Amino acid sequence: QVQLVESGGGLVQAGDSLRLSCAASGRAFSTYTMGWFRQAPGKERESVAAISWRSGSYYADYGDSVKGRFTISRDNAQSTVYLQMNSLKPEDTAVYYCAAHSPYRSTYDYWGQGTQVTVSS
């Protein structure tokens, strides 16, 4: 079992930056694919970023709406994944969720409780 706890959300103004953290419990964190998702009221859940181990290196993937503004990173020693969000826009307002899955699966099995990010114009 893996437990995920997000932190770092809050209320910011457009153009500001914010860093989300997701602390994971459980073994073999370094092998897990970690992802960030978000869901705004009335909208479907959206994949924001993911970081996975492939062919001997970590690779990051981003949703089109955040490319160039958000950066996902991980600290395996701390079992933590981060989402650095720069140049925030009001449309980035959502509940942000951290998720994880083992390298043997292709769907996310573990989810955090979410953290609210609100960007005012």
Side-chain angles (χ1 to χ4, degrees), residues 34-37 47-51 61-63 66 70-72 83 108:
M34 302 299 298
W36 286 97
F37 293 78
S47 175
V48 175
I51 185 166
D61 298 291
Y62 298 93
V66 305
F70 291 11
T71 302
I72 188 171
L83 185 67
Y108 287 91

Side-chain angles (χ1 to χ4, degrees), residues 30-33 50-61 74 76:
S30 63
T31 67
Y32 275 62
T33 292
I51 185 166
S52 58
W53 178 260
R54 284 177 276 170
S55 303
S57 298
Y58 283 109
Y59 288 86
D61 298 291
R74 64 193 297 161
N76 291 334

Side-chain angles (χ1 to χ4, degrees), residues 3-80:
Q3 292 185 327
L4 304 173
V5 179
E6 303 99 333
S7 61
L11 172 64
V12 296
Q13 293 186 332
D16 285 351
S17 297
L18 204 59
R19 189 177 80 158
L20 305 182
S21 300
C22 173
S25 66
R27 291 179 272 184
F29 172 81
S30 63
T31 67
Y32 275 62
T33 292
M34 302 299 298
W36 286 97
F37 293 78
R38 68 185 182 187
Q39 188 164 22
K43 293 188 177 181
E44 293 186 355
R45 187 173 63 196
E46 175 187 13
S47 175
V48 175
I51 185 166
S52 58
W53 178 260
R54 284 177 276 170
S55 303
S57 298
Y58 283 109
Y59 288 86
D61 298 291
Y62 298 93
D64 289 340
S65 61
V66 305
K67 280 181 181 176
R69 300 188 298 123
F70 291 11
T71 302
I72 188 171
S73 62
R74 64 193 297 161
D75 183 342
N76 291 334
Q78 299 295 323
S79 297
T80 301

